[in-house]
């Protein structure tokens, strides 16, 4: 039977019970002094298997509505499973039956780990079957010993999975009534491993919270007990839960390696000073002047440092940047760490990429057009050469004219000297 249908049937039954009360007919449901759900008593014919012993049937509450010769009995049931995985037991299999009449009456057949309330609502004729009970696994839950639904309460306890040893566990308890409004008065007492309780008032929504100091590492047990206000018709109830305390981790830091031109990736290191405890942290990149998808590939990953591990690395791919690109930066951030963080960010610097330039001329090569020192100048280019500048052309032409004039003078002097020598020889030959 689905939960909505079960709630509807319970609401109808409670309405009938109220009508019967107004008419002066007393309800037949028993109301014990404690709201602890009726637990199982050993069943003689139950199989002694590990799976069967992990399940305990619970009767959350019973509400009777006498209607003449018929007593409509509405029973709200749950269960507790100590198994580490869901357990499936077919109805009417001998380990999931009603003790009288039809063995299969729509009871659940799949049982998840933990304690669960209000999972099954059963309506029967209480006058015809006064001793009916639910056999589950190795236990039997009698309906007659359960509290009335108008007074019964239940507690759902929430605790963290892991807590750092020496730290604080924040726990909460939600107090509810079966298919009725949650109580808004009373207190909840929280015990950690049986130590002195921490008491908190119940809010208007039926919730109480507490902070419990945690000692050494290992498994710890929390018990939460609801205490109604004095004079209230409500009954007390309790729940337990466990969590694990681990050695606290040293603060985390993040650092980035240097990047040189041409690098295809950069290495990011998350580290801590000591290796005690297990810690998780999200490592994410964020744009600066460098942009994800253009200068680098964005990264978002959860890093785990196991107990005994001091560091872990993440590699961020870098893109090939075009020539002439300026220096750029992006950031690597630590977020949602399960331990303290000493350095929450690191900066990655991408160096500037040089622009492309023409190859330089070999040393000692003459430079066209004359000019600066270091090499000798060649002759001037023709005046109509488009690569020649006006200043360079005029300078070289002047130099060439000077060399030509010097050559003429030298050549003229040489010719005159030779003619003089010839004339002198002729004169000596003409003498007697």
């Amino acid at each position: 039977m689905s939960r909505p249908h079960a709630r509807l049937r319970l609401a109808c039954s409670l309405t009938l019970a109220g009508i019967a009360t107004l008419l002066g007919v007393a309800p037949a449901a028993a109301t014990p002094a404690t709201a602890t759900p009726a637990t199982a008593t050993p069943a003689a014919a139950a199989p002694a298997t590990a799976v069967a012993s992990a399940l305990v049937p619970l009767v959350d509450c019973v509400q009777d509505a006498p209607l003449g010769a018929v007593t409509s009995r509405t029973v709200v049931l749950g269960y507790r499973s100590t198994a580490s995985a869901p357990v499936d037991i077919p109805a009417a299999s001998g380990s999931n039956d009603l003790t009288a009449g039809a063995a299969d009456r729509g009871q659940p057949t799949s049982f998840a780990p933990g304690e669960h309330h209000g999972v099954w609502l059963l309506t029967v004729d209480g006058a015809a079957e006064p001793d009916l009970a639910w056999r589950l696994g190795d236990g039997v839950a009698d309906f007659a010993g359960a509290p009335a639904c108008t007074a019964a309460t239940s507690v759902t306890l929430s605790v963290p999975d892991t807590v750092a040893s020496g730290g604080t566990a924040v726990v909460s308890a939600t107090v509810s009534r079966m298919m009725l409004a949650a109580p808004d008065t009373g207190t909840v007492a929280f015990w950690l491993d049986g130590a002195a309780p921490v008491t908190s008032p119940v809010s208007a929504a039926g919730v109480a919270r507490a902070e419990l100091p945690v000692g050494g590492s290992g498994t710890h047990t929390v018990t939460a007990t609801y205490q109604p206000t004095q004079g209230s018709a409500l009954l007390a109830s309790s729940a337990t839960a466990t969590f694990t305390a681990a050695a606290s981790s040293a603060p985390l830091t993040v650092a980035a390696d240097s990047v040189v031109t041409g690098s295809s990736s950069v290495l990011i290191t998350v580290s801590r000073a000591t290796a005690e405890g297990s810690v998780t942290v999200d490592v994410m990149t964020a744009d600066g002047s460098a942009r994800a998808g253009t200068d680098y590939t964005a990264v978002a990953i959860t890093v785990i440092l196991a107990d005994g591990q001091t560091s872990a690395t993440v590699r961020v791919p870098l893109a090939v940047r075009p020539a002439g690109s300026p220096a750029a930066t992006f950031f690597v951030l630590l977020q949602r760490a399960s331990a303290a963080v000493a350095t929450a960010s690191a900066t990655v610097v991408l160096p500037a990429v040089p622009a492309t330039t023409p190859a330089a001329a070999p040393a000692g090569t003459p430079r066209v057009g004359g000019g600066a020192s270091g090499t000798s100048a060649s002759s001037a280019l023709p005046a109509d050469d488009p690569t020649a500048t006006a200043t360079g052309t005029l300078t070289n032409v002047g130099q060439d004219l000077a060399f030509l004039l010097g050559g003429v003078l030298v050549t003229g002097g040489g010719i005159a000297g030779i003619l003089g020598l010839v004339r002198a020889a002729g004169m000596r030959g003409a003498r007697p």
Side-chain angles (χ1 to χ4, degrees):
M1 180 183 298
S2 65
R3 181 70 62 83
H5 291 167
R7 293 181 177 180
L8 180 60
R9 293 184 60 182
L10 177 58
C12 294
S13 299
L14 294 179
T15 302
L16 292 175
I19 295 173
T21 301
L22 292 175
L23 294 175
V25 182
T31 305
T34 176
T36 303
T39 56
T41 56
T49 64
V51 171
S53 61
L55 297 176
V56 177
L58 304 175
V59 181
D60 293 322
C61 65
V62 174
Q63 191 67 44
D64 285 354
L67 300 174
V70 177
T71 300
S72 176
R73 172 168 293 176
T74 301
V75 187
V76 182
L77 300 110
Y79 66 88
R80 182 186 304 115
S81 174
T82 58
S84 58
V87 175
D88 293 329
I89 300 181
S93 62
S95 297
N96 187 8
D97 304 340
L98 275 299
T99 56
D104 183 359
R105 304 197 191 187
Q107 62 264 41
T109 59
S110 182
F111 305 91
E115 186 168 314
H116 305 271
H117 298 276
V119 297
W120 179 32
L121 186 147
L122 175 66
T123 300
V124 297
D125 184 349
E129 299 179 295
D131 299 325
L132 193 62
W134 181 27
R135 178 188 294 114
L136 178 64
D138 288 345
V140 174
D142 294 322
F143 298 165
C149 290
T150 54
T153 64
S154 64
V155 175
T156 302
L157 183 57
S158 298
V159 301
D161 292 332
T162 58
V163 176
S165 57
T168 300
V170 179
V171 299
S172 64
T174 301
V175 184
S176 60
R177 290 189 291 171
M178 296 302 160
M179 313 302 178
L180 301 175
D184 55 2
T185 59
T187 60
V188 174
F190 297 89
W191 284 271
L192 179 61
D193 299 328
V198 175
T199 302
S200 300
V202 173
S203 70
V207 178
R209 291 184 173 86
E211 296 184 358
L212 307 178
V214 180
S217 58
T219 301
H220 297 270
T221 301
V222 180
T223 300
T225 299
Y226 169 65
Q227 295 291 345
T229 56
Q230 187 174 6
S232 172
L234 299 178
L235 301 176
S237 58
S238 64
T240 61
T242 61
F243 66 87
T244 301
S248 57
S249 169
L252 301 176
T253 62
V254 61
D257 284 359
S258 299
V259 179
V260 299
T261 303
S263 295
S264 61
S265 63
V266 59
L267 197 64
I268 309 300
T269 302
V270 179
S271 60
R272 55 183 176 174
T274 62
E276 294 181 350
S278 176
V279 64
T280 61
V281 61
D282 290 346
V283 179
M284 305 179 68
T285 54
D287 284 353
S289 54
R291 296 290 185 264
T294 301
D295 301 300
Y296 70 98
T297 300
V299 168
I301 188 173
T302 299
V303 171
I304 301 175
L305 295 179
D307 188 28
Q309 183 179 0
T310 58
S311 65
T313 57
V314 176
R315 191 170 294 276
V316 179
L318 302 178
V320 177
R321 306 172 69 220
S325 298
T329 59
F330 66 90
F331 307 98
V332 181
L333 310 176
L334 298 185
Q335 296 184 342
R336 292 180 286 277
S338 61
V341 176
T343 305
S345 66
T347 303
V348 178
V349 180
L350 304 179
V353 181
T356 303
T357 57
T365 302
R367 297 196 308 183
V368 177
S373 62
T375 59
S376 59
S378 63
S379 298
L381 294 172
D384 58 351
D385 191 303
T387 64
T389 61
T391 302
T393 302
L394 292 176
T395 302
N396 290 329
V397 169
Q399 291 175 350
D400 288 348
L401 290 176
F403 287 135
L404 180 60
L405 180 59
V408 170
L409 293 177
V410 172
T411 303
I415 294 173
I418 293 173
L419 291 178
L421 290 176
V422 172
R423 184 178 299 173
M427 292 177 63
R428 289 178 61 184
R431 291 178 184 178

